[in-house]
Structures are given as structure tokens and as C-alpha cells.
């Protein structure tokens, strides 16, 4: 799991760009590969890092792990490169393999882009950043020559990433945390398409990386739902606020949205006085604050409500899966349950 | 000292000066590191004697040879308060080998007529036994004089240096009395600054100052770059109520924060010092630690409160430096 302290201590030691066009049937195309890494420029690095933090630390970022079985060579390249000491000589060929694989994958409606690989450390631990910047068709990138070898210098960023308006941004950070093949802390984000979308393009980035979400969406959804209801019941005393937040939880969980971001929910629906305590409660309950695809398959029964409205204005709502606790007779309604709270509105 | 001795001294110093400069930098770095560890705001400077001063000193002090002349390298730390002088002097043995401190304040107090005048603490220093560069800078040859003094003491020293108050010259009695009065005034001012600082940092009705003092104590462990006090007080005034704690409780948080997060904070400070374009104007300010703490503890309240007074993009820059995204 990528944490703010990880992003704060991210250092970029090497960086390279490759221009990776889209493969179009019948047309000759090939990636333009840099042969040497770019010269680092402190101010541009600082700016680039700020953009990476904004994306990888955003509400839309998600924690990932390598897929055990994948067609992508990316996991193996990352495992191998980050093992042991830094091997600067292998950086350029490694990055070219990423670019070549991206080119092979970039067909159909995938966009052309500039792929950047960064050799990094996070609190001294080795890591790699993989970044794809999309650019307009026809936009030219200027190749430079360094010691007789071609390269894209950091100035290419000026038009692609350093302008505030750049939105088309796919990023991933892999930090080695131990010697094992899966000892990584990894996160990703696709600012162009939320990964929860069902279409092919939305899955493109994860497939390219050979990764999957660290937590099954159905588990993440259930954990948030249960923790949120627990908090609403135990920590919100005001009955009006309690009802409102409860309704928002039910409504968001039942919505047609593809993804759910807990931090967005907090900002939009949780009363100000409860934002920090609620977020802390979610953390205590091991609920990830990162975005996840909404999958209500494990809570669907609890989301459905059955409502009973009486002649004198009483209203009883019960979870559909608990409907048998209500016994309705001609002049009475009996609920076989224990009263835990009475709110006076 | 003969003319040929002076000529030889000149030749020797021209040859030796670069290595003494290197040695001086070494001691200065050690001293700066220690001052940072103590969390003290200080101006530290180093100089090697220029060739003219060296020759003049040999002429004025004929009892010395080129080899025996001390003070070829001088390192000076100027701090705000006397207690900080005492703290630095007390921790000098952890930085380098050093003589007993020559404390002129103590010397003046010991004299029969309790004179006033130039006050400073001087120590003769050298590399400690076991230092990896001891062979390159043996302690028999490479010595540096370290002076530690307050700003007020520095003022007296600088002005008296230029006007020969402290030379052995016979001065008319009435002038001498005025000079003594002036020196006394500076010493009183120095003591008063220390007392006021001490009292201000304990007054509950001056919460902002108390919190600022607590922040400074930790901030100067991370950076020697001074902040803008007016801005600090405004930020503290705006944000400290979010804690809903007493100023004493808040002040205690920052020591704990630094203990837990020192490595991360130092890393970010080092990164920010390399880029002037990529950092917020609020970064090199003592209250940055308060902002960092609140980014973790009260991220929502902080953003809301901040925008009442300061540009949101500045907070966003601070947040991203510490790995937090508002996106």
C-alpha cells in the first residue's frame, strides 16, 4: 500500500522517455526509443514529482499487486531490476522493453503516448515509476543527441505534463519492500479512465502492468459498508445527521456508479465535525481509503429495504434479508427485535 | 621576529592556507550539525586568517612563531540567547576535541572590580581521536578557534574591534566610564532578551508565542533557514484552535512528531532546499511542522480553515511535498 510518507520520500534518480505510437493495421510504425537517459533537471523533477503525488495519492488511486499469471513481462522486469544493488547499465535496455511491450499492446482505440520509466528510491528502498502521458496526434517531440546517442530530454515534459491542464496521465509506482518476488508496495492511477469501467480501455493500464487490485472489489465494498454503518450507529448522536448519513451510505452503495472513493464520500456527505473521526474509524477498521470498483454482491440483501407505512404515520424499514422479523396483522405490526436506540426528531 | 622569519611565515601560510580552510570547513560542518541537533537558530561562519592579518599578528605578538600562532582558523556561531551559548559550549566535546572553554563573562565576573566589556566563549578545537581524517589534519598542527556568542555580544565585539575599546591603550577616565556603561547596557539588554523570551514562552495568554517557540525548537533541527515571524504568528493564530487543546499540550506534540517522523521530514526538507521554483513560500517556516501535523490529523478542517486567510494553492504545494494529494 502506497502511503503519503512513501510519496514524500520518493526520489527520482534516472528517467527516460520513449515515444510509443499506436499500432494501426496496414501502417508501418515503430516506437522511437531513447538510447540514453535524460539529463535530470532539479526544478522539472520537483514539478514532475508534484504531479505524480497528485495522481498516485489521489482519491482515484488504487493499491495493486502483481498477477500470479499474466502475459505482461512488466512484473518480471520490475522484480529483476529492483533486486540487489542498482545497475545503471541495465536501466536503458529495461525501459526499452517496457516501451516495446506497450507498443505491442497499443492497438484499437488505445492512444499514442510518451512512456517514461523512472528509477527511484522511496525511503531508501528501490522502486520504479511507470508513466504514460498521452498526447495529441501529430504533436512532435524533439529528439536530442547526447554523446552521439538519441534521447528525449526533460524539456519534452513542458508540453506534456508540466502544464496544469494535462489530464491524460497513467501512472504506477512499485517499491520493493523485501527480497521476495511479491514483496512490493505498489499503487496506480489512470486519470483518463477509472479502472472500474467495464470497457476494454479502462482495463488497459492494469493489463499492461500485469497487475490486479490488492483487494477484491466485493470485499472492499463490504468492508466500507459495514464500517460506515457501525460508525453511523455508534458515533453520530444527532438523529437528523444519523439518518442523513445512513441514507447516503445506502444510496451510494445502491447507485449505478462503477467506482467508489471513500474520501470523496467523506467530503461530500459526512458532516464536518465527523469527517476526521470517520476517516480515522475507517483506518482502524482496516478499510482502504483508496478508490475501489463498487461490487455489492456480498451486501445486496442488506441494501434492499422493505418499508411498512401505517395508517397513523408510523414507518418501519427493515433489511430485505431480515424481513421475517416483521409480523403484520389486521390492526397491529410486531417487530421481533431489540430496540437499541430511540431518536426524537 | 626577524624579517626573514616573517617572510618564511608568509610563504608557509600561502602553502598551508588551503588545507587549513578544508580543516575549518570540517569543524564548521560538525558544529552546524550539532547546533541543528540542538534545534538552535544560529549564524555560523568560518574564515582562515588572511595573509596580512597573520603577519600583523606576528608583529604585534613577538612571543609567537608561525607554528605557535593560534587562530589561523576561526569559526564563529552567533545565537540569540545566552542559554543557547551555554548549550552549544556544553556539547562541543561531542563535536571535536576541545580545550576548556575560555569564558570571558566568567573572567570579568571574577575580577575584583567586576568589570564589564567583551563577552564571548572561546574554545581551541581539533579533530577527535579516531577521526577518519586525523592523519590528514593532525591535532598538533591543525587547530581552530571556535567562538560562541549572542547577537548582543557580537555587536559589542564588532564595534569594539573597530574602535579599539579593548586594546591596552590608555583611555581618558570619563571616556572609559562611558565605555563601561555602554558595555553594561549591552549586557543588560542581552540578559533581558533572554528573560523576556523565557517569560513569553510560558505565558498562557500569549499562546501563539508559546507555540512558535515550541515549533522553532524542532524546526531548527531540520533547517537553519530562518522564517518570517509575522507570518508564523498569523498561521499559528489561524490553525492552533483546530487542536482544541491547551498551548502546553500542543507544544508537546511537536517534539513527539519529530521523534517519530524525523527521517521523512528531513528527507522532504532536503528535497525542498534544492528547488526554489517547486516549493511553497510557507515551507521554510517553523509552523510547517504544525501544518504537517494537521495534514495527518485534521486534513478536512485544515483545508477549510486555511482558505479563510491564505491561498489554497500554497497549502496544496505543502501537502504534495509531504505526499498528500487533494485531487
Amino acid at each position: 500500500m502506497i502511503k503519503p510518507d512513501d510519496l514524500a520520500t520518493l526520489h527520482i534518480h534516472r528517467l527516460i522517455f520513449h515515444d510509443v505510437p499506436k499500432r494501426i493495421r496496414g501502417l508501418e510504425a515503430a516506437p522511437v526509443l531513447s538510447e540514453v537517459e535524460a539529463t535530470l533537471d532539479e526544478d522539472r523533477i520537483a514539478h514532475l514529482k508534484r504531479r505524480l503525488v497528485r495522481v498516485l495519492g489521489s482519491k482515484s488511486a488504487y493499491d495493486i499487486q502483481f498477477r500470479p499469471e499474466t502475459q505482461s513481462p512488466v512484473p518480471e522486469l520490475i522484480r529483476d531490476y529492483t533486486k540487489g544493488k542498482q545497475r545503471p547499465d541495465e536501466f536503458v535496455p529495461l525501459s526499452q522493453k517496457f516501451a516495446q511491450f506497450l507498443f505491442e499492446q497499443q492497438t484499437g482505440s488505445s492512444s499514442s503516448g510518451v512512456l517514461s520509466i523512472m528509477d527511484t528510491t522511496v525511503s531508501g528502498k528501490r522502486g520504479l515509476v511507470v508513466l504514460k502521458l498521452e498526447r495529441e496526434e501529430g504533436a512532435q517531440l524533439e529528439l536530442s543527441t547526447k554523446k552521439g546517442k538519441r534521447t528525449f530530454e526533460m524539456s519534452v515534459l513542458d508540453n506534456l505534463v508540466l502544464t496544469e491542464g494535462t489530464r491524460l496521465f497513467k501512472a504506477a509506482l512499485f517499491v520493493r519492500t523485501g527480497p521476495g518476488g511479491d514483496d512490493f508496495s505498489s499503487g496506480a492511477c489512470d486519470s483518463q479512465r477509472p479502472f472500474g469501467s467495464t470497457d476494454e480501455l479502462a482495463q488497459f493500464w492494469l493489463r499492461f502492468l500485469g497487475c490486479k487490485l490488492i483487494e477484491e472489489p466485493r470485499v472492499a465494498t463490504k468492508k466500507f459498508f459495514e464500517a460506515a454503518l457501525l460508525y453511523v450507529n455508534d458515533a453520530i448522536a444527532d438523529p437528523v445527521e444519523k439518518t442523513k448519513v445512513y441514507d447516503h451510505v445506502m444510496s451510494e452503495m445502491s447507485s449505478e456508479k462503477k467506482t467508489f472513493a471513500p474520501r470523496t464520500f467523506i467530503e461530500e456527505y459526512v458532516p464536518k465535525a465527523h469527517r476526521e473521526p470517520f476517516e480515522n474509524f475507517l483506518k482502524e477498521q482496516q478499510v482502504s481509503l483508496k478508490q475501489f470498483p463498487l461490487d455489492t454482491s456480498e451486501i445486496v440483501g442488506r441494501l434492499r429495504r422493505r418499508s411498512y407505512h401505517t395508517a397513523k404515520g408510523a414507518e418501519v424499514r427493515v433489511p430485505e434479508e431480515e424481513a421475517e422479523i416483521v409480523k403484520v396483522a389486521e390492526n397491529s405490526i410486531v417487530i421481533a427485535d431489540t430496540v437499541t436506540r430511540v431518536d426524537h426528531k | 621576529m626577524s624579517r626573514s622569519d616573517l617572510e618564511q611565515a608568509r610563504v608557509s601560510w600561502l602553502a598551508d592556507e588551503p588545507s587549513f580552510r578544508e580543516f575549518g570547513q570540517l569543524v564548521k560542518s560538525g558544529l552546524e550539525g550539532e547546533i541543528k541537533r540542538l534545534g538552535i537558530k544560529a549564524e555560523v561562519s568560518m574564515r582562515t586568517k588572511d595573509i596580512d592579518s597573520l603577519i600583523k599578528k606576528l608583529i604585534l605578538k613577538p612571543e609567537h612563531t608561525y607554528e605557535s600562532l593560534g587562530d589561523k582558523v576561526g569559526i564563529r556561531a552567533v545565537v540569540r540567547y545566552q542559554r543557547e551559548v551555554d548549550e552549544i559550549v556544553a556539547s562541543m566535546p561531542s563535536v571535536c576535541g576541545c580545550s576548556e572553554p575560555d569564558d570571558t563573562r566568567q573572567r570579568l565576573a571574577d575580577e575584583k572590580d567586576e568589570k564589564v566589556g567583551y563577552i564571548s566563549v572561546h574554545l581551541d578545537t581539533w579533530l577527535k581521536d579516531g577521526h577518519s581524517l586525523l592523519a590528514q589534519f593532525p591535532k598538533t598542527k591543525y587547530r581552530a578557534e571556535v567562538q560562541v556568542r549572542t547577537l548582543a555580544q557580537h555587536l559589542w565585539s564588532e564595534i569594539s574591534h573597530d574602535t579599539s575599546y579593548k586594546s591596552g591603550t590608555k583611555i581618558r577616565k570619563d571616556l572609559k566610564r562611558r565605555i563601561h556603561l555602554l558595555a553594561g547596557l549591552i549586557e543588560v539588554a542581552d540578559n533581558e532578551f533572554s528573560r523576556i523570551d523565557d517569560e513569553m514562552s510560558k505565558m498562557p495568554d500569549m499562546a501563539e508565542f508559546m507555540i512558535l517557540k515550541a515549533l522553532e525548537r524542532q524546526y531548527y533541527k531540520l533547517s537553519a533557514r530562518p522564517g518570517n515571524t509575522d507570518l508564523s504568528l498569523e498561521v499559528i493564530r489561524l490553525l492552533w484552535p483546530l487542536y482544541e487543546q491547551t498551548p502546553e499540550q500542543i507544544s508537546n506534540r511537536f517534539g513527539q512528531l519529530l521523534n517519530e517522523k524525523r527521517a521523512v521530514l528531513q528527507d522532504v526538507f532536503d528535497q525542498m532546499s534544492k528547488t526554489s521554483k517547486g516549493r511553497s513560500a510557507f515551507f521554510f517556516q517553523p509552523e510547517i511542522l504544525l501544518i504537517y501535523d494537521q495534514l495527518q490529523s485534521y486534513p478536512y478542517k485544515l483545508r477549510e480553515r486555511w482558505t479563510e486567510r491564505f491561498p489554497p494553492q500554497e497549502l496544496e504545494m505543502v501537502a504534495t511535498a509531504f505526499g498528500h494529494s487533494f485531487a
Side-chain angles (χ1 to χ4, degrees), chain B residues 163-176:
Chain B
T163 47
S164 60
Y165 295 167
K166 65 174 183 178
S167 75
T169 322
K170 282 262 178 196
I171 300 176
R172 237 173 47 204
K173 269 191 173 176
D174 61 324
L175 281 179
K176 200 171 178 180

Side-chain angles (χ1 to χ4, degrees), chain A residues 5 11 49 54 272 279, chain B residues 261 267 271 300 304 325:
Chain A
D5 282 356
H11 288 259
K49 192 189 149 182
R54 273 190 208 160
K272 284 175 187 171
E279 185 170 308
Chain B
K261 297 284 188 177
D267 191 328
Q271 290 180 56
Y300 302 100
E304 195 183 351
S325 171

Side-chain angles (χ1 to χ4, degrees), chain A residues 280-305:
Chain A
N280 290 337
F281 182 75
L282 292 180
K283 285 180 193 165
E284 278 167 27
Q285 300 291 311
Q286 317 281 319
V287 177
S288 171
L289 295 171
K290 303 277 177 68
Q291 181 178 245
F292 54 83
L294 201 55
D295 178 347
T296 56
S297 54
E298 293 214 0
I299 55 168
V300 69
R302 294 160 72 187
L303 287 174
R304 285 202 202 102
R305 320 295 288 173

Side-chain angles (χ1 to χ4, degrees), chain A residues 4-5 7-11 42-43 46 49-50 53-55 57-59 263 266-267 272 275-276 279 283, chain B residues 261 264 267-268 271 275 277-278 292 297-301 303-304 316 320-327:
Chain A
D5 282 356
L7 295 173
T9 55
L10 171 73
H11 288 259
E42 288 290 350
D43 282 325
K49 192 189 149 182
R50 206 159 69 236
V53 171
R54 273 190 208 160
V55 172
S58 73
K59 298 180 196 85
R263 277 160 62 194
I266 293 171
E267 280 179 9
K272 284 175 187 171
R275 285 176 185 169
E276 274 89 7
E279 185 170 308
K283 285 180 193 165
Chain B
K261 297 284 188 177
V264 172
D267 191 328
V268 177
Q271 290 180 56
T275 171
K277 284 186 193 166
Y292 174 68
S297 312
Y298 310 104
Y300 302 100
K301 288 182 191 165
R303 285 172 69 183
E304 195 183 351
E316 204 262 345
T320 50
F322 289 121
H324 291 263
S325 171
F326 291 164

Side-chain angles (χ1 to χ4, degrees), chain B residues 50-274:
Chain B
D50 75 38
I51 185 86
D52 290 347
S53 306
L54 184 107
I55 299 300
K56 285 172 192 170
K57 201 150 192 175
L58 284 172
I59 292 169
L60 285 170
K61 298 195 168 177
E63 69 275 19
H64 277 293
T65 62
Y66 169 77
E67 284 75 22
S68 72
L69 192 70
D71 190 25
K72 289 191 185 83
V73 178
I75 295 158
R76 180 179 296 150
V78 181
V79 297
R80 289 175 295 179
Y81 307 113
Q82 184 59 44
R83 66 172 161 73
E84 295 173 332
V85 172
D86 299 336
E87 276 183 67
I88 293 171
V89 170
S91 68
M92 278 306 289
S94 66
V95 178
C96 51
C98 60
S99 63
E100 278 298 308
D102 177 10
D103 186 343
T104 53
R105 184 180 45 163
Q106 198 56 50
R107 209 155 14 105
L108 290 171
D110 288 346
E111 288 194 15
K112 276 183 187 167
D113 55 355
E114 292 177 347
K115 282 181 182 171
V116 288
Y118 172 70
I119 293 179
S120 183
V121 183
H122 295 203
L123 301 103
D124 193 19
T125 63
W126 54 87
L127 293 189
K128 275 174 140 177
D129 287 337
H131 193 288
S132 60
L133 295 175
L134 194 60
Q136 190 182 343
F137 301 112
K139 55 186 171 185
T140 46
K141 180 176 178 182
Y142 290 91
R143 301 253 169 162
E145 185 187 274
V146 171
Q147 300 176 354
V148 190
R149 54 171 74 142
T150 65
L151 274 165
Q153 290 162 1
H154 186 56
L155 165 73
W156 175 258
S157 166
E158 288 295 291
I159 203 141
S160 65
H161 189 269
D162 289 348
T163 47
S164 60
Y165 295 167
K166 65 174 183 178
S167 75
T169 322
K170 282 262 178 196
I171 300 176
R172 237 173 47 204
K173 269 191 173 176
D174 61 324
L175 281 179
K176 200 171 178 180
R177 179 173 168 71
R178 282 162 64 192
I179 291 167
H180 278 184
L181 285 171
L182 201 54
L185 198 63
I186 288 175
E187 196 174 331
V188 168
D190 211 0
N191 292 339
E192 275 305 290
F193 282 133
S194 290
R195 284 177 56 195
I196 289 170
D197 175 62
D198 194 38
E199 285 172 31
M200 273 169 76
S201 59
K202 287 177 189 154
M203 286 181 184
D205 55 335
M206 300 187 76
E208 294 95 7
F209 282 98
M210 190 191 278
I211 296 167
L212 177 59
K213 290 287 161 200
L215 285 163
E216 280 185 344
R217 196 75 181 158
Q218 306 307 326
Y219 169 80
Y220 286 116
K221 290 177 183 172
L222 298 163
S223 171
R225 205 181 287 236
N228 176 316
T229 305
D230 290 340
L231 184 62
S232 293
L233 291 172
E234 280 225 33
V235 175
I236 294 168
R237 206 168 289 134
L238 182 78
L239 299 180
W240 84 266
L242 292 185
Y243 284 115
E244 295 176 356
Q245 288 178 340
T246 64
E248 289 88 349
Q249 288 170 321
I250 296 167
S251 299
N252 291 334
R253 291 177 74 101
F254 306 123
Q256 183 72 20
L257 180 74
L258 210 74
N259 280 342
E260 287 170 9
K261 297 284 188 177
R262 185 168 193 146
V264 172
L265 286 164
Q266 190 64 66
D267 191 328
V268 177
F269 268 71
D270 292 346
Q271 290 180 56
M272 288 298 112
S273 66
K274 286 182 195 158

Side-chain angles (χ1 to χ4, degrees), chain A residues 220-235:
Chain A
T221 306
K222 186 181 175 202
K223 277 167 77 175
F224 176 84
F225 177 71
E226 288 179 343
L229 290 193
L230 208 56
Y231 185 86
V232 170
N233 284 328
D234 294 348

